[in-house]
Amino acid sequence: MNKRNKVKHLNREKGHRDALINNMITSLFKYERIESTQAKLKVVRSHAEKIITRAKRNLATDIAPAVALHNKREVLKRVKDRNIVTKLFEDIAVRYAAVNGGYTRILKKINRASDNSEVGILELTNRKDRSSLIQEIKDKREAISDAKKEKAAAPAPAKKEKAPKKEAAPKAKAAKKPAAPKKAVKKAAPKKKK
């Protein structure tokens, strides 16, 4: 009996289900559109909208730094990629600043031919087109590579000269005690077999 149980199990155990939801949320924020079965999309949609709402809280001007950091850490529990979290707080949350809810939509597609599953598309309502997303990724990569080239081209800081090592005073060798004579050890004769 699962009375009053609101969790959609998706035929998975808790760890597997959480990993699936986290990965789908990350992909949604990265590509702004994902395709999957209706059951999964409905679960992911509720989690994704809560995360966007939490990201929007950081847009307030009078927010304490500790609260802003707390919001980012709460989002990092679900979205493991820091670049996607940065995009969420600086780009996606800004797009939805004037909207209260309704950040995503589910579009139905024709059932899948192999198993007749209900398939759909989950996308952000104010999403960018694919070409602009690809261009943003290329610009970020170029900026990172330029920064690496500048760092490599910059002269290395001069190494500090080490002070010369002090030579230790020679130690006087202690007189050796004569070694004690070794005792002769008798070996036992091998036992004869009967």
Side-chain angles (χ1 to χ4, degrees):
M1 239 194 272
N2 62 352
K3 288 184 177 177
R4 302 181 69 159
N5 189 355
K6 302 292 184 185
V7 176
K8 297 292 184 185
H9 292 284
L10 301 175
N11 275 344
R12 288 163 175 80
E13 296 194 8
K14 184 187 183 316
H16 187 187
R17 184 172 56 246
D18 287 345
L20 170 87
I21 292 169
N22 293 349
N23 289 336
M24 288 182 76
I25 290 171
T26 304
S27 295
L28 174 66
F29 293 143
K30 183 175 184 179
Y31 301 110
E32 301 187 7
R33 177 184 180 140
I34 57 173
E35 182 178 331
S36 185
T37 59
Q38 291 281 339
K40 290 178 193 172
L41 293 180
K42 287 177 183 175
V43 173
V44 170
R45 177 186 197 173
S46 64
H47 290 282
E49 295 214 354
K50 289 174 185 172
I51 289 175
I52 292 173
T53 302
R54 186 168 284 275
K56 281 175 53 177
R57 291 182 192 169
N58 278 12
L59 296 178
T61 55
D62 58 342
I63 190 169
V67 175
L69 180 62
H70 174 70
N71 289 336
K72 280 200 174 181
R73 285 181 174 162
E74 287 296 313
V75 170
L76 276 166
K77 287 181 182 177
R78 284 284 185 188
V79 181
K80 306 299 183 190
D81 190 349
R82 291 184 179 272
N83 295 330
I84 304 300
V85 172
T86 304
K87 176 183 176 181
L88 175 66
F89 278 86
E90 294 177 0
D91 182 27
I92 296 174
V94 174
R95 281 190 247 165
Y96 294 109
V99 181
N100 292 328
Y103 312 122
T104 59
R105 66 175 155 244
I106 296 177
L107 305 173
K108 292 185 178 182
K109 292 182 70 176
I110 298 172
N111 290 4
R112 195 159 49 200
S114 60
D115 58 357
N116 202 31
S117 298
E118 294 180 353
V119 182
I121 296 172
L122 176 66
E123 64 182 12
L124 299 177
T125 54
N126 289 343
R127 71 182 183 94
K128 295 180 180 176
D129 60 335
R130 183 176 170 83
S131 59
S132 64
L133 285 174
I134 292 172
Q135 187 61 39
E136 283 181 8
I137 292 169
K138 287 181 180 178
D139 292 342
K140 285 181 184 178
R141 284 184 188 159
E142 289 175 4
I144 291 170
S145 65
D146 291 344
K148 285 182 181 179
K149 287 178 183 176
E150 288 176 6
K151 187 175 181 181
K159 293 183 179 179
K160 294 181 181 177
E161 293 184 22
K162 295 183 179 179
K165 293 184 179 179
K166 295 180 182 178
E167 293 183 20
K171 295 182 180 179
K173 293 184 179 179
K176 290 186 178 180
K177 295 181 183 179
K182 294 184 178 180
K183 295 182 182 179
V185 179
K186 292 183 181 178
K187 292 185 177 181
K191 293 183 182 180
K192 293 182 181 178
K193 293 183 181 180
K194 291 183 181 181

